Amino acid sequence: NVTGVRRVLFRSNRRYFHSVMKKELNRARRYGALLSLILIDIDYFKKINDTFGHSVGDAVLKRLSKIFKDSARKVDIVFRYGGDEFAIVCPISGTRSARIFAERLRKTIEKKQLRYNRTKLTVTISVGICKYTSVSSSIKKIVEGADKALYLAKQNGRNQVCVAEE
């Protein structure tokens, strides 16, 4: 049972992500509970790697994943979703609470100056959120909704949180 355990998966494992989403989606359906998915993308991450090198990029990933893990509730599950993308599965959380959490993360990261050796970086994130509804009733639709909201956040200037339309 993954729920109740705070963890960050540093490897990108979509199969495990989908298994957790399936369990949480089934739980939300069965009990009429809330469920939200937060997708996070590090703004201009490629530029960080190209300018400062992959070791700095790796340090940024580790630092942000620690912030995500430390900020999450015990029931939230944090994943490294892809190269510079993270996913946070938020059981018992609707759009309002997921947005508050995501905004808190965004502001925390924006204010932090990340250091690696002598390199100091200010990093920002773009965030997309989608909640389970009767319309977004499958894993695919929830992921697509969060991904579209994330794309909108990036399209609108980055460093912001957008919520999928219901």
Side-chain angles (χ1 to χ4, degrees):
N1 183 4
V2 175
T3 304
V5 177
R6 213 181 331 172
R7 58 171 65 164
V8 175
L9 300 176
F10 292 101
R11 67 191 187 289
S12 184
N13 188 336
R14 300 270 174 126
R15 190 176 356 190
Y16 186 63
F17 167 79
H18 280 277
S19 108
V20 168
M21 277 296 292
K22 183 177 179 181
K23 285 179 189 174
E24 293 304 331
L25 188 57
N26 287 338
R27 184 187 324 263
R29 282 186 189 129
R30 187 175 330 121
Y31 298 111
L34 298 171
L35 174 66
S36 290
L37 173 64
I38 299 173
L39 288 183
I40 301 167
D41 190 75
I42 302 169
D43 295 332
Y44 304 110
F45 186 71
K46 183 179 179 340
K47 188 175 180 181
I48 292 169
N49 273 337
D50 291 348
T51 304
F52 301 103
H54 289 279
S55 58
V56 173
D58 290 347
V60 168
L61 289 172
K62 288 177 185 173
R63 177 65 186 208
L64 292 186
S65 62
K66 181 171 177 12
I67 292 169
F68 298 150
K69 183 185 87 170
D70 292 347
S71 302
R73 303 169 303 165
K74 287 187 178 187
V75 295
D76 296 334
I77 307 111
V78 179
F79 295 88
R80 180 159 173 212
Y81 190 67
D84 66 325
E85 287 186 327
F86 290 84
I88 305 176
V89 178
C90 302
I92 320 163
S93 184
T95 304
R96 184 175 178 275
S97 58
R99 184 182 197 114
I100 290 167
F101 170 52
E103 268 300 329
R104 191 174 70 236
L105 282 176
R106 188 193 65 75
K107 288 176 184 175
T108 298
I109 290 165
E110 180 182 44
K111 289 177 185 175
K112 287 227 185 273
Q113 193 169 58
L114 305 178
R115 291 189 174 102
Y116 181 78
N117 292 334
R118 294 183 179 176
T119 304
K120 295 178 185 176
L121 293 169
T122 300
V123 176
T124 60
I125 59 172
S126 295
V127 182
I129 300 170
C130 187
K131 74 173 185 173
Y132 160 71
T133 64
S134 57
V135 176
S136 298
S137 59
S138 70
I139 295 169
K140 182 180 178 187
K141 288 190 187 257
I142 294 169
V143 170
E144 285 173 356
D147 201 42
K148 284 179 186 174
L150 174 59
Y151 178 77
L152 188 62
K154 292 171 99 45
Q155 189 178 32
N156 289 340
R158 302 177 194 262
N159 191 27
Q160 59 186 278
V161 175
C162 288
V163 177
E165 294 180 18
E166 294 183 34

